Amino acid sequence: MNILLEHETPATDLDQMEIVYQRPDALTDLATHYCPGCSHGVIHHLIAEVIDELGIRSHTIGVAPVGCAVFAYKYFNLDSCEAAHGRAPAMATGIKRVLPDHIVFTYQGDGDLASIGGNEILHAALRGERITVIFVNNAVYGMTGGQMAPTTLAGMKTTSSPAGRNPLTQGYPLHLTEMLATMPGVAYAVRRSMHSVAETRKTKKAIRHAFTAQQQGLGLSIVEILAACPTNWHVEPADALDYIRDRMLPEYPVGDFKVSEGLGDRRLGD
Amino acid sequence: MAKGTVTIQTDRCKGCGLCIQACPQHVLAFTEEFNARGYRPVQLDERAHACTGCGVCAVVCPDVVFTVYRQPARRAA
Amino acid sequence: MTRELWKGNEALAEAAIRAGVDAFFGYPITPQTELLEYMARRMPELGRTFLQAESEIAAINMVYGAACTGVRAMTSSSSPGISLMQEGFSYIAGSEAPCVVVDIMRGGPGLGNIQPGQADYFQITRSAGHGDFHPLVLAPATVQEAVDLAYISFDLAFRYRTLVLLAGDGALGQMMEPVEMPPMRTPDATQPDWALTGAKGRPPRTITSLYLDADELASVNARLQEKLKTIAAAEQRWECFMTDDADLLVVAFGTVARIAKSAVRAARAAGVRAGLFRPISLWPYPAPVLDGLVDQVQGVLVAEMNAGQMLEDVRAIVRGRTPIRFLGRTGGVIPMPDEITNELTHMTRVNHRTNGAGMKRDVE
């Protein structure tokens, strides 16, 4: 229910205006369970907007991960299923192989995709599965309370690396999207960030490119998105965006690591 | 007359304040009251008339609480 | 209909194809690999989906994904691979995605070897993954029976929205026998009302095994348990061989059961009135039939290629009413008919002294 507050424009004025943004059809009406300032909610609506704009909602199937976004299937207004931890690319493969004309996407966090599901994403990419992978990298395991992930920054304190991640004993941050970009089966592999309005808009365009690559049958498309986790980073939501910019970006620069020659949606820019 | 405006689903707002920080016209502020979820939601403040309906708030909002309106004339410009 | 010579693994594959399997996802492992290889040749010929996965974990999750769209999906593996698939089995059970899995069992534990075994009995009949569920487990003893069971397996999977597990062993998978193949079925064009096919002109569908609310998950489990009860009542399969006048009863399944048949005949030739009870469905176990046989016999011999797994089911059914003796072979050693005959003869002498090789004991 929309509640007009004291200082808002009177309703009579609304009649003379046109709606330039409203809740996308590809989102259900359900409020999310995410923490305040969590990037998942933003990424959800970016995906939903792209699905609406491409007009693909009625033949798109989503595969939800294990992690904070485990209920993604409740928020997207389309057919969806819930994969085991890390297995979304395998499950999506099974779906896409029997429904090749449908659009299939996975939504996965860094623990799900880059750790327990490392093998599944690697081989889905190797085979060039015509699926789209939205890879949300916030450098921690959120759902379980902020443990170290493969993407955790060197020196970053988490509940399972209380002294800060020591690369010599706990490994270096994993650059999975760059790895996938080396594979011929991958049509589109880019990293974007949620730390500013401009970058968020670029993220949406990248998501659109990724779905377009799938529509064109070019191969696997992946958009890695640097995302804020204010709760487990122990910072305010606004400061979490600065954390992405100041801490995450130096380790994980945004960029296009692979853009297939055949991708026909370039007029949208980056 | 304002060039644009927004309506806000305040019952869904979690008070993260990302929109307040992002708004180029600085027309958003927290309410004094709490919503049913225990958060202080955002509202258009006394500078509401300065809203251009640019939609930046909707871009950054994790909870999709904004519906954005704009004067047709501005849109055609 | 002509009878042709078929290898077990390939016969299973062809039977699944004739039953209308739409998609096969698998990973090579001895002694089931010929099934995968056969699918690799045949499925593309028919315009159907074949994919070699990167692991058994991926294979079962591909099956899970394909099954969610309402198609007939299957995989096959052998014991170590079945262990890896348990995660997927559990999710499939929780979300009631129908599918068929073939387990051509080998010796274990660990890497074990590639010889025939039946030591997956616990892992496939008890739960086959975390949480409360049982796959519907069918254990053929001949290649013809493997074909016949594979042919109906998808009907069962879809009727109950359950995982159907065809449990053979390395001997069954590798042996060649004359088989009468069933006709090629026309694929079923109707789509189940739960399948993920895109939310066109209808509300979105979701397939999940996640229910955070305790009461909700409890009610889902109650429904699953009710379904298992229905399966348990309707889907028991067994064979009784020379049991009508039997004094001693051999209980064995799969490859061991067909060996036991020879042993029963030999025992009868030597004056011992033996019979064989062969469960075909390992879950649901055909307990009432065995229960009825127990009161007429003076002893039960359980023979398995493991250290005593089905034995536990038999004990629970016999409940001390008659002595049970156990003959177990592990490591991929197949018991010979005369071993079983010797055990039967031994039991008539009520002699508890161990004789010969193998793992034997009087249970109770």
Side-chain angles (χ1 to χ4, degrees):
Chain A
M1 188 178 77
N2 286 335
I3 299 174
L4 285 171
L5 291 171
E6 196 185 345
H7 297 292
E8 283 188 277
T9 314
T12 48
D13 269 4
L14 291 181
D15 297 338
Q16 296 155 29
M17 297 196 188
E18 60 184 22
I19 294 174
V20 291
Y21 183 84
Q22 61 187 342
R23 191 176 188 81
D25 287 342
L27 285 183
T28 62
D29 203 35
L30 211 61
T32 70
H33 68 287
Y34 299 120
C35 303
C38 170
S39 295
H40 275 308
V42 186
I43 297 167
H44 281 19
H45 78 69
L46 297 181
I47 294 169
E49 288 157 28
V50 167
I51 288 171
D52 282 0
E53 287 162 20
L54 295 175
I56 55 176
R57 191 187 71 83
S58 65
H59 64 280
T60 295
I61 296 174
V63 185
V66 170
C68 283
V70 72
F71 286 127
Y73 61 83
K74 290 188 176 184
Y75 305 138
F76 288 111
N77 183 26
L78 36 84
D79 276 10
S80 54
C81 54
E82 169 57 38
H85 202 16
R87 316 296 176 224
M91 205 172 176
T93 296
I95 297 168
K96 184 72 178 184
R97 290 288 179 128
V98 298
L99 294 177
D101 297 331
H102 282 53
I103 301 297
V104 181
F105 76 97
T106 70
Y107 186 102
Q108 303 179 259
D110 42 273
D112 189 271
L113 185 101
S115 187
I116 194 166
N119 208 36
E120 282 73 22
I121 184 61
L122 197 73
H123 286 271
L126 192 72
R127 293 188 302 266
E129 296 295 340
R130 274 71 169 158
I131 61 172
T132 296
V133 177
I134 306 299
F135 169 28
V136 180
N137 178 4
N138 60 15
V140 286
Y141 283 82
M143 178 64 98
T144 45
Q147 294 77 32
M148 183 179 71
T151 48
T152 294
L153 303 171
M156 188 172 170
K157 287 182 181 175
T158 71
T159 59
S160 59
S161 59
R165 184 183 194 175
N166 178 357
L168 296 178
T169 56
Q170 294 165 306
Y172 290 88
L174 181 62
H175 291 236
L176 197 99
T177 308
E178 286 94 326
M179 279 172 60
L180 298 184
T182 65
M183 297 184 173
V186 173
Y188 188 68
V190 303
R191 182 181 294 117
R192 295 292 184 266
S193 170
M194 299 302 289
H195 73 269
S196 70
V197 176
E199 293 299 325
T200 302
R201 286 192 160 130
K202 286 181 183 173
T203 302
K204 179 179 168 181
K205 282 178 180 163
I207 293 169
R208 184 171 172 127
H209 284 311
F211 277 96
T212 304
Q214 180 178 172
Q215 284 181 308
Q216 292 182 251
L218 298 175
L220 185 136
S221 52
I222 178 168
V223 182
E224 176 180 343
I225 303 169
L226 303 180
C229 181
T231 300
N232 288 306
W233 294 353
H234 308 292
V235 294
E236 291 299 314
D239 296 335
L241 301 187
D242 294 343
Y243 188 95
I244 296 176
R245 185 191 61 209
D246 300 336
R247 297 285 309 276
M248 296 272 284
L249 273 176
E251 177 68 37
Y252 298 110
V254 295
D256 295 356
F257 309 120
K258 175 85 174 279
V259 179
S260 169
E261 288 294 317
L263 188 58
D265 200 22
R266 286 164 171 249
R267 63 195 161 77
L268 289 168
D270 64 356
Chain B
M1 196 183 199
K3 290 176 183 166
T5 191
V6 294
T7 55
I8 302 166
Q9 276 189 290
T10 51
D11 55 335
R12 293 204 166 182
C13 177
K14 294 174 185 156
C16 71
L18 293 182
C19 56
I20 296 175
Q21 175 169 282
C23 177
Q25 299 299 107
H26 309 291
V27 300
L28 293 167
F30 289 120
T31 61
E32 290 301 319
E33 303 79 30
F34 293 89
N35 65 12
R37 293 166 179 266
Y39 298 113
R40 284 173 57 196
V42 291
Q43 62 180 352
L44 284 165
D45 66 10
E46 65 277 5
R47 295 182 301 276
H49 61 275
C51 177
T52 61
C54 71
V56 159
C57 52
V59 172
V60 301
C61 177
D63 297 291
V64 202
V65 304
F66 293 98
T67 302
V68 184
Y69 298 82
R70 214 179 282 164
Q71 292 287 358
R74 176 182 164 76
R75 211 171 127 70
Chain C
M1 191 70 72
T2 53
R3 278 156 69 86
E4 301 166 306
L5 209 52
W6 281 87
K7 187 172 193 167
N9 282 328
E10 296 184 341
L12 269 163
E14 180 61 27
I17 284 169
R18 296 188 182 205
V21 63
D22 295 295
F24 179 94
F25 305 93
Y27 187 79
I29 182 170
T30 311
Q32 72 73 56
T33 303
E34 296 86 357
L35 204 168
L36 171 129
E37 290 172 335
Y38 190 88
M39 288 294 194
R41 289 195 301 273
R42 278 286 277 157
M43 292 293 271
E45 279 176 11
L46 297 164
R48 304 185 194 177
T49 300
F50 168 87
L51 184 60
Q52 179 173 330
E54 63 268 30
S55 67
E56 288 90 346
I57 296 173
I60 192 64
N61 281 285
M62 290 171 187
V63 167
Y64 183 19
C68 284
T69 72
V71 306
R72 296 181 167 214
M74 79 177 279
T75 185
S76 62
S77 191
S78 178
S79 311
I82 295 295
S83 297
L84 281 172
M85 289 185 186
Q86 290 222 351
E87 174 193 72
F89 294 165
S90 180
Y91 281 74
I92 285 166
S95 45
E96 299 178 86
C99 64
V100 174
V101 175
V102 176
D103 179 10
I104 301 298
M105 292 183 271
R106 61 189 243 186
L111 205 49
N113 61 22
I114 59 171
Q115 312 301 323
Q118 294 182 324
D120 290 4
Y121 187 90
F122 282 156
Q123 85 156 336
I124 58 182
T125 64
R126 283 303 177 271
S127 175
H130 62 280
D132 288 306
F133 73 98
H134 300 276
L136 204 171
V137 184
L138 302 173
T142 66
V143 177
Q144 181 67 59
E145 191 175 41
V147 164
D148 296 341
L149 291 174
Y151 198 59
I152 60 164
S153 59
F154 285 105
D155 296 334
L156 295 171
F158 275 74
R159 183 178 308 153
Y160 300 108
R161 290 187 64 180
T162 191
L163 167 63
V164 173
L165 219 147
L166 297 169
D169 60 59
L172 185 76
Q174 298 296 321
M175 71 170 61
M176 293 188 83
E177 283 191 303
V179 167
E180 188 178 315
M181 273 289 165
M184 184 75 90
R185 274 173 52 158
T186 325
D188 188 1
T190 58
Q191 269 176 338
D193 60 8
W194 46 261
L196 305 183
T197 54
K200 189 169 191 174
R202 59 160 173 78
R205 292 172 183 160
T206 295
I207 293 182
T208 182
S209 59
L210 175 67
Y211 304 92
L212 275 194
D213 180 80
D215 288 335
E216 192 183 7
L217 181 55
S219 70
V220 168
N221 267 296
R223 186 169 51 73
L224 293 178
Q225 289 302 310
E226 276 306 309
K227 183 169 79 174
L228 290 176
K229 276 185 197 165
T230 306
I231 297 174
E235 301 301 339
Q236 292 177 25
R237 288 173 167 76
W238 68 90
E239 180 193 5
C240 287
F241 177 72
M242 294 186 169
T243 54
D244 287 351
D245 62 343
D247 296 326
L248 290 175
L249 188 67
V250 184
V251 183
F253 68 96
T255 293
V256 179
R258 66 188 294 170
I259 294 164
K261 267 190 189 175
S262 305
V264 163
R265 283 197 197 93
R268 283 190 173 254
V272 178
R273 283 194 300 188
L276 168 71
F277 176 72
R278 176 171 75 89
I280 298 169
S281 58
L282 301 183
W283 198 97
Y285 199 86
V289 182
L290 178 57
D291 188 75
L293 290 170
V294 169
D295 288 327
Q296 76 174 56
V297 298
Q298 274 84 60
V300 169
L301 172 66
V302 177
E304 302 179 80
M305 289 192 286
N306 59 45
Q309 298 193 17
M310 179 180 67
L311 174 63
E312 294 197 1
D313 279 335
V314 175
R315 287 179 69 184
I317 293 160
V318 169
R319 299 190 306 278
R321 286 176 287 167
T322 194
I324 300 175
R325 192 164 166 81
F326 174 68
L327 169 64
R329 283 298 210 165
T330 67
V333 180
I334 302 174
M336 290 292 112
D338 60 344
E339 286 182 75
I340 298 173
T341 311
N342 286 348
E343 289 302 315
L344 290 168
T345 312
H346 175 75
M347 288 168 76
T348 60
R349 296 201 295 268
V350 199
N351 185 342
H352 292 185
R353 183 169 45 83
T354 302
N355 60 340
M359 193 175 286
K360 301 166 184 181
R361 59 185 185 270
D362 291 309
V363 178
E364 57 194 24

